[in-house]
Coordinates of all heavy atoms in Angstrom, one line a residue:
A2 N -1.5 6.1 2.2 CA -2.3 7.2 2.5 C -1.5 8.2 3.3 O -1.9 9.3 3.3 CB -3.5 6.8 3.1
A3 N -0.5 7.7 4.0 CA 0.3 8.7 4.9 C 1.5 9.3 4.1 O 2.3 10.0 4.6 CB 0.7 8.0 6.1
G4 N 1.5 9.0 2.8 CA 2.7 9.6 2.0 C 4.0 8.9 2.3 O 5.0 9.5 2.2
T5 N 3.9 7.7 2.6 CA 5.0 6.8 3.0 C 5.1 5.4 2.2 O 4.1 4.8 2.3 CB 5.2 6.6 4.5 OG1 5.3 7.8 5.2 CG2 6.4 5.8 4.9
A6 N 6.3 5.1 1.6 CA 6.3 3.9 1.0 C 6.4 2.9 2.2 O 6.9 3.2 3.2 CB 7.6 3.8 0.1
V7 N 5.7 1.6 1.9 CA 5.7 0.7 3.1 C 6.3 -0.7 2.6 O 6.4 -0.9 1.3 CB 4.3 0.4 3.5 CG1 3.7 1.7 4.1 CG2 3.4 0.0 2.3
V8 N 6.7 -1.4 3.6 CA 7.0 -2.9 3.4 C 6.1 -3.6 4.2 O 6.1 -3.4 5.4 CB 8.6 -3.1 3.8 CG1 8.9 -4.6 3.7 CG2 9.5 -2.3 2.9
V9 N 5.4 -4.6 3.6 CA 4.4 -5.5 4.4 C 4.8 -6.9 4.2 O 5.4 -7.3 3.3 CB 2.9 -5.1 4.0 CG1 2.6 -3.7 4.2 CG2 2.8 -5.6 2.5
G10 N 4.3 -7.7 5.2 CA 4.5 -9.1 5.2 C 3.4 -9.7 4.3 O 2.2 -9.3 4.3
A11 N 3.7 -10.8 3.5 CA 2.7 -11.4 2.6 C 1.8 -12.2 3.4 O 0.8 -12.5 2.7 CB 3.6 -12.4 1.7
E12 N 1.9 -12.4 4.6 CA 1.1 -13.1 5.4 C -0.2 -12.5 5.9 O -1.2 -13.1 6.2 CB 1.8 -13.9 6.6 CG 3.0 -14.7 6.2 CD 4.2 -14.0 5.8 OE1 4.3 -12.8 6.1 OE2 5.0 -14.5 4.9
G13 N 0.0 -11.2 6.0 CA -1.1 -10.4 6.6 C -2.1 -9.8 5.6 O -1.8 -9.9 4.4
G14 N -3.1 -9.3 6.2 CA -4.1 -8.5 5.3 C -3.6 -7.3 4.6 O -4.2 -6.8 3.6
A15 N -2.5 -6.7 5.0 CA -1.9 -5.5 4.5 C -1.5 -5.6 3.0 O -1.6 -4.8 2.2 CB -0.9 -4.9 5.4
R16 N -1.2 -6.9 2.8 CA -0.8 -7.1 1.3 C -1.9 -6.9 0.4 O -1.6 -6.8 -0.9 CB -0.2 -8.6 1.1 CG -1.3 -9.6 1.3 CD -0.8 -11.1 1.2 NE -1.8 -12.0 1.5 CZ -1.9 -13.2 1.1 NH1 -0.9 -13.7 0.5 NH2 -2.9 -13.9 1.4
E17 N -3.1 -6.9 0.7 CA -4.3 -6.6 -0.1 C -4.2 -5.3 -0.4 O -5.0 -4.9 -1.4 CB -5.6 -7.2 0.5 CG -5.6 -8.7 0.8 CD -6.8 -9.0 1.7 OE1 -7.6 -8.2 1.9 OE2 -6.8 -10.2 2.1
L18 N -3.6 -4.4 0.2 CA -3.6 -3.0 0.1 C -2.4 -2.5 -0.7 O -2.3 -1.4 -1.1 CB -3.7 -2.2 1.5 CG -4.9 -2.6 2.2 CD1 -4.8 -1.8 3.6 CD2 -6.2 -2.1 1.5
V19 N -1.4 -3.3 -0.8 CA -0.1 -3.0 -1.4 C 0.0 -3.7 -2.8 O -0.1 -4.9 -3.0 CB 1.1 -3.2 -0.5 CG1 2.4 -3.0 -1.2 CG2 0.8 -2.5 0.8
E20 N 0.4 -2.9 -3.9 CA 0.7 -3.6 -5.1 C 2.2 -3.5 -5.2 O 2.9 -2.6 -5.1 CB 0.1 -2.7 -6.2 CG 0.3 -3.3 -7.5 CD -0.2 -2.5 -8.7 OE1 -1.1 -1.6 -8.5 OE2 0.0 -2.9 -10.0
Q21 N 2.9 -4.8 -5.3 CA 4.3 -5.0 -5.3 C 4.9 -4.0 -6.2 O 4.7 -4.1 -7.5 CB 4.6 -6.5 -5.5 CG 6.0 -6.7 -5.7 CD 6.8 -6.4 -4.4 OE1 6.3 -6.5 -3.4 NE2 8.1 -6.4 -4.5
G22 N 6.0 -3.3 -5.6 CA 6.6 -2.4 -6.4 C 6.0 -1.2 -7.0 O 6.7 -0.4 -7.6
V23 N 4.8 -1.1 -6.8 CA 4.1 0.1 -7.2 C 3.6 1.1 -6.0 O 4.0 2.3 -6.0 CB 2.8 -0.3 -8.0 CG1 2.0 1.0 -8.5 CG2 3.2 -1.0 -9.2
T24 N 2.9 0.4 -5.0 CA 2.5 1.3 -3.8 C 3.5 0.8 -2.6 O 3.1 1.4 -1.5 CB 1.1 1.2 -3.6 OG1 0.8 -0.3 -3.3 CG2 0.2 1.6 -4.8
G25 N 4.2 -0.1 -2.7 CA 5.0 -0.5 -1.6 C 5.7 -1.9 -1.9 O 5.7 -2.2 -3.1
M26 N 6.2 -2.6 -0.9 CA 7.0 -3.7 -1.3 C 6.3 -4.9 -0.3 O 6.1 -4.7 0.8 CB 8.5 -3.6 -1.0 CG 9.1 -2.6 -1.9 SD 10.8 -2.5 -1.7 CE 11.3 -3.9 -2.5
I27 N 6.2 -6.0 -0.9 CA 5.6 -7.3 -0.1 C 6.7 -8.3 0.1 O 7.4 -8.6 -1.0 CB 4.4 -7.9 -0.9 CG1 3.3 -6.8 -1.1 CG2 3.8 -9.1 0.0 CD1 2.3 -7.2 -2.0
V28 N 6.9 -8.7 1.2 CA 8.0 -9.6 1.5 C 7.4 -10.8 2.3 O 6.5 -10.6 3.0 CB 9.2 -9.1 2.1 CG1 10.0 -8.0 1.4 CG2 8.9 -8.5 3.5
D29 N 8.1 -11.8 2.4 CA 7.8 -13.0 3.3 C 8.1 -12.5 4.7 O 9.4 -12.2 5.0 CB 8.6 -14.2 2.9 CG 8.3 -15.4 3.8 OD1 7.8 -15.2 4.9 OD2 8.7 -16.5 3.5
G30 N 7.2 -12.3 5.5 CA 7.3 -11.8 6.8 C 8.3 -12.6 7.8 O 8.7 -12.1 8.7
R31 N 8.4 -13.8 7.4 CA 9.4 -14.7 8.1 C 10.9 -14.6 7.7 O 11.8 -15.2 8.2 CB 8.9 -16.1 8.1 CG 7.4 -16.2 8.7 CD 6.8 -17.6 8.3 NE 6.6 -17.5 6.9 CZ 5.9 -18.3 6.2 NH1 5.4 -19.3 6.8 NH2 5.8 -18.2 4.9
D32 N 11.0 -14.0 6.5 CA 12.4 -13.9 6.0 C 13.0 -12.6 6.3 O 12.8 -11.6 5.7 CB 12.2 -14.0 4.5 CG 13.6 -14.1 3.7 OD1 14.6 -13.7 4.2 OD2 13.5 -14.5 2.5
E33 N 13.9 -12.7 7.3 CA 14.6 -11.4 7.8 C 15.5 -10.7 6.7 O 15.5 -9.5 6.6 CB 15.5 -11.6 9.0 CG 14.6 -12.2 10.2 CD 15.5 -12.6 11.3 OE1 16.7 -12.6 11.2 OE2 14.8 -13.0 12.3
A34 N 16.0 -11.6 5.9 CA 17.0 -11.0 4.9 C 16.1 -10.3 3.7 O 16.4 -9.3 3.3 CB 17.7 -12.3 4.1
A35 N 15.0 -10.9 3.4 CA 14.0 -10.2 2.5 C 13.5 -8.8 3.0 O 13.5 -7.9 2.3 CB 12.9 -11.0 2.1
L36 N 13.2 -8.8 4.3 CA 12.8 -7.6 4.9 C 13.9 -6.6 4.9 O 13.7 -5.4 4.6 CB 12.3 -7.8 6.4 CG 11.9 -6.6 7.1 CD1 10.8 -5.9 6.5 CD2 11.5 -7.1 8.6
A37 N 15.1 -7.0 5.2 CA 16.2 -6.1 5.3 C 16.5 -5.5 3.9 O 16.7 -4.4 3.7 CB 17.4 -6.8 5.8
A38 N 16.5 -6.4 3.0 CA 16.7 -5.9 1.5 C 15.7 -5.0 1.0 O 16.0 -4.0 0.4 CB 16.7 -7.3 0.6
A39 N 14.4 -5.3 1.4 CA 13.4 -4.3 0.9 C 13.5 -2.9 1.7 O 13.4 -1.8 1.0 CB 11.9 -4.7 1.3
L40 N 13.8 -2.9 2.9 CA 14.0 -1.7 3.6 C 15.2 -0.9 3.1 O 15.3 0.2 2.9 CB 14.2 -1.9 5.1 CG 12.9 -2.5 5.8 CD1 13.1 -2.8 7.2 CD2 11.9 -1.3 5.8
Q41 N 16.3 -1.7 2.9 CA 17.6 -1.1 2.3 C 17.3 -0.5 1.0 O 17.7 0.5 0.6 CB 18.7 -2.1 2.2 CG 20.0 -1.5 1.7 CD 20.4 -0.4 2.6 OE1 20.5 -0.5 3.7 NE2 21.1 0.6 2.0
H42 N 16.5 -1.3 0.1 CA 16.2 -0.7 -1.2 C 15.5 0.8 -1.1 O 15.8 1.6 -1.8 CB 15.2 -1.6 -1.9 CG 14.6 -1.1 -3.2 ND1 15.4 -0.8 -4.3 CD2 13.4 -0.6 -3.6 CE1 14.6 -0.2 -5.3 NE2 13.5 -0.2 -4.8
L43 N 14.4 0.7 -0.2 CA 13.8 2.0 0.0 C 14.5 3.2 0.5 O 14.4 4.2 0.2 CB 12.4 1.7 0.8 CG 11.3 0.9 0.2 CD1 10.2 0.8 1.2 CD2 10.9 1.6 -1.0
L44 N 15.4 2.7 1.5 CA 16.3 3.8 2.1 C 17.3 4.3 1.1 O 17.7 5.5 1.1 CB 17.0 3.2 3.3 CG 16.0 3.0 4.5 CD1 16.9 2.1 5.5 CD2 15.7 4.2 5.0
S45 N 17.9 3.4 0.2 CA 19.0 3.8 -0.7 C 18.3 4.3 -2.0 O 19.2 4.8 -2.8 CB 19.8 2.7 -1.1 OG 19.1 1.6 -1.8
D46 N 17.2 4.3 -2.3 CA 16.5 4.9 -3.6 C 15.4 5.8 -3.3 O 14.2 5.5 -3.3 CB 16.0 3.5 -4.5 CG 15.6 4.1 -5.8 OD1 15.4 5.1 -6.1 OD2 15.5 3.0 -6.7
P47 N 15.8 7.0 -3.0 CA 14.8 8.0 -2.7 C 13.6 8.2 -3.9 O 12.5 8.5 -3.6 CB 15.5 9.4 -2.6 CG 16.9 9.0 -2.5 CD 17.1 7.7 -3.1
A48 N 14.1 8.0 -5.1 CA 13.1 8.2 -6.2 C 12.1 7.1 -6.2 O 10.8 7.3 -6.3 CB 13.8 8.2 -7.6
A49 N 12.6 5.9 -5.9 CA 11.5 4.7 -5.9 C 10.6 5.0 -4.6 O 9.4 4.8 -4.7 CB 12.2 3.3 -5.7
R50 N 11.2 5.4 -3.6 CA 10.5 5.6 -2.3 C 9.4 6.7 -2.5 O 8.2 6.5 -2.2 CB 11.4 6.2 -1.2 CG 10.8 6.1 0.2 CD 11.8 6.3 1.3 NE 12.5 7.6 1.1 CZ 13.9 7.7 1.0 NH1 14.6 6.6 0.9 NH2 14.5 8.9 0.9
A51 N 9.7 7.8 -3.2 CA 8.8 8.9 -3.5 C 7.8 8.4 -4.5 O 6.4 8.7 -4.3 CB 9.5 10.1 -4.0
R52 N 8.1 7.7 -5.5 CA 7.1 7.2 -6.5 C 6.1 6.2 -5.9 O 4.9 6.4 -6.1 CB 7.9 6.4 -7.6 CG 7.1 6.0 -8.8 CD 8.0 5.3 -9.8 NE 8.7 4.1 -9.5 CZ 10.0 4.1 -9.2 NH1 10.8 5.2 -9.4 NH2 10.6 2.9 -8.7
M53 N 6.5 5.3 -5.0 CA 5.7 4.4 -4.2 C 4.9 5.2 -3.4 O 3.6 4.9 -3.3 CB 6.4 3.3 -3.6 CG 7.1 2.4 -4.4 SD 7.9 1.1 -3.3 CE 9.1 0.4 -4.5
A54 N 5.3 6.1 -2.7 CA 4.5 6.9 -1.7 C 3.4 7.7 -2.6 O 2.2 7.7 -2.2 CB 5.4 8.0 -1.0
Q55 N 3.8 8.2 -3.7 CA 2.7 9.1 -4.5 C 1.7 8.1 -5.0 O 0.5 8.4 -5.0 CB 3.4 9.8 -5.6 CG 4.2 11.0 -5.2 CD 3.3 12.0 -4.5 OE1 2.2 12.3 -5.0 NE2 3.7 12.6 -3.5
A56 N 2.0 6.9 -5.5 CA 1.1 5.9 -6.0 C 0.3 5.4 -4.9 O -0.9 5.2 -5.1 CB 1.9 4.8 -6.7
A57 N 0.7 5.3 -3.7 CA -0.1 4.8 -2.6 C -1.1 5.8 -2.2 O -2.3 5.6 -1.9 CB 0.8 4.5 -1.3
M58 N -0.7 7.1 -2.2 CA -1.6 8.2 -1.9 C -2.8 8.3 -2.9 O -4.0 8.4 -2.6 CB -0.9 9.5 -1.7 CG -0.1 9.5 -0.5 SD 0.9 11.1 -0.4 CE -0.4 12.3 -0.3
A59 N -2.4 8.1 -4.1 CA -3.3 8.1 -5.2 C -4.3 7.0 -5.2 O -5.5 7.1 -5.3 CB -2.7 8.1 -6.6
H60 N -3.8 5.8 -4.7 CA -4.7 4.5 -4.6 C -5.7 4.7 -3.5 O -6.8 4.4 -3.7 CB -3.7 3.4 -4.5 CG -4.5 2.1 -4.2 ND1 -5.0 1.3 -5.2 CD2 -4.8 1.4 -3.1 CE1 -5.6 0.3 -4.8 NE2 -5.5 0.3 -3.4
A61 N -5.1 5.4 -2.4 CA -5.9 5.6 -1.2 C -7.0 6.5 -1.6 O -8.2 6.4 -1.2 CB -5.1 6.0 0.0
R62 N -6.7 7.6 -2.1 CA -7.8 8.6 -2.6 C -8.9 8.0 -3.5 O -10.0 8.3 -3.3 CB -7.2 9.7 -3.3 CG -6.5 10.7 -2.3 CD -6.2 12.1 -2.9 NE -5.3 11.9 -4.1 CZ -3.9 12.0 -3.9 NH1 -3.3 12.2 -2.7 NH2 -3.0 11.9 -4.9
E63 N -8.4 7.1 -4.4 CA -9.3 6.6 -5.4 C -10.2 5.4 -4.7 O -11.3 5.5 -5.0 CB -8.5 5.9 -6.5 CG -9.5 5.3 -7.6 CD -8.7 4.7 -8.7 OE1 -7.4 5.0 -8.9 OE2 -9.2 3.9 -9.3
H64 N -9.7 4.7 -3.9 CA -10.5 3.4 -3.4 C -11.0 3.7 -2.0 O -11.9 2.9 -1.6 CB -9.5 2.4 -3.4 CG -9.1 1.8 -4.7 ND1 -10.0 1.2 -5.7 CD2 -7.9 2.1 -5.4 CE1 -9.4 1.0 -6.8 NE2 -8.1 1.4 -6.6
F65 N -10.5 4.7 -1.2 CA -10.9 4.8 0.2 C -11.4 6.2 0.6 O -11.4 6.5 1.7 CB -9.8 4.3 1.1 CG -9.4 2.9 0.8 CD1 -8.1 2.7 0.3 CD2 -10.2 1.8 1.1 CE1 -7.7 1.3 -0.1 CE2 -9.7 0.6 0.8 CZ -8.5 0.3 0.2
S66 N -11.8 6.9 -0.3 CA -12.3 8.3 0.0 C -13.7 8.2 0.6 O -14.4 7.1 0.6 CB -12.6 9.0 -1.3 OG -13.7 8.5 -2.1
W67 N -14.1 9.2 1.4 CA -15.4 9.3 2.1 C -16.6 9.1 1.1 O -17.5 8.4 1.4 CB -15.6 10.6 2.7 CG -14.8 10.6 4.1 CD1 -13.7 11.3 4.4 CD2 -15.1 9.8 5.3 NE1 -13.3 11.0 5.7 CE2 -14.1 10.1 6.2 CE3 -16.1 8.8 5.6 CZ2 -14.1 9.4 7.4 CZ3 -16.1 8.2 6.8 CH2 -15.2 8.6 7.8
D68 N -16.4 9.7 -0.1 CA -17.5 9.6 -1.1 C -17.6 8.2 -1.5 O -18.8 7.6 -1.6 CB -17.2 10.5 -2.3 CG -17.2 11.9 -2.1 OD1 -18.0 12.2 -1.1 OD2 -16.6 12.7 -2.8
R69 N -16.6 7.4 -1.6 CA -16.5 6.1 -2.1 C -17.2 5.2 -1.0 O -18.0 4.3 -1.3 CB -15.2 5.6 -2.3 CG -15.1 4.2 -2.8 CD -15.2 4.2 -4.3 NE -15.0 2.8 -4.8 CZ -14.3 2.6 -5.8 NH1 -13.8 3.4 -6.6 NH2 -14.0 1.3 -6.2
H70 N -16.9 5.5 0.2 CA -17.5 4.7 1.4 C -19.0 5.0 1.5 O -19.9 4.1 1.7 CB -16.8 5.1 2.7 CG -15.5 4.5 2.9 ND1 -15.3 3.1 3.0 CD2 -14.3 5.0 3.0 CE1 -14.0 2.8 3.3 NE2 -13.4 4.0 3.1
I71 N -19.4 6.2 1.3 CA -20.8 6.6 1.3 C -21.5 5.9 0.4 O -22.6 5.4 0.6 CB -21.1 8.1 1.3 CG1 -20.5 8.7 2.7 CG2 -22.5 8.5 1.2 CD1 -20.2 10.2 2.7
A72 N -21.0 5.9 -1.0 CA -21.6 5.2 -2.1 C -21.9 3.7 -1.8 O -22.9 3.2 -2.1 CB -20.9 5.6 -3.3
R73 N -20.8 3.1 -1.2 CA -20.9 1.6 -0.8 C -22.0 1.4 0.2 O -22.7 0.4 0.1 CB -19.6 1.2 -0.5 CG -18.6 1.0 -1.5 CD -17.3 0.5 -1.1 NE -16.2 0.4 -2.1 CZ -15.1 0.3 -1.9 NH1 -14.5 0.4 -0.8 NH2 -14.2 0.2 -3.0
I74 N -22.0 2.2 1.2 CA -23.0 2.1 2.2 C -24.4 2.3 1.7 O -25.3 1.5 2.0 CB -22.8 3.0 3.5 CG1 -21.5 2.6 4.2 CG2 -23.9 3.2 4.4 CD1 -21.0 3.7 5.2
A75 N -24.6 3.4 0.9 CA -26.0 3.6 0.2 C -26.3 2.4 -0.6 O -27.5 2.0 -0.6 CB -25.9 4.9 -0.5
A76 N -25.3 1.8 -1.4 CA -25.8 0.7 -2.3 C -26.2 -0.5 -1.4 O -27.1 -1.3 -1.7 CB -24.5 0.4 -3.1
A77 N -25.4 -0.7 -0.3 CA -25.8 -1.8 0.6 C -27.1 -1.6 1.2 O -27.8 -2.7 1.4 CB -24.7 -2.0 1.6
L78 N -27.4 -0.4 1.6 CA -28.8 -0.2 2.3 C -29.9 -0.2 1.2 O -30.9 -0.6 1.6 CB -28.7 1.2 2.9 CG -27.8 1.3 4.1 CD1 -27.8 2.9 4.6 CD2 -28.3 0.4 5.3
A79 N -29.6 0.1 0.0 CA -30.7 0.0 -1.1 C -31.0 -1.5 -1.4 O -32.0 -1.7 -2.1 CB -30.2 0.8 -2.2
A80 N -30.0 -2.4 -1.2 CA -30.2 -3.7 -1.7 C -31.2 -4.5 -0.8 O -31.5 -4.2 0.1 CB -28.7 -4.3 -1.6

């Protein structure tokens, strides 16, 4: 949502927000080599970095907009 490609650890909740290779990269958070490789990939490939950033922003707008939150709250209150 901030317009930045991300690398997240597979162990945390952030992986639920990232689609591997589409909106960011997911690595084993205990694997320093995997983290370094993912960061190096994003640093060395501006096109992939921009593509992931745009996809992440689109995903955030679609799934986490104020309208979407209000609709979910309204549905919960109506139930």
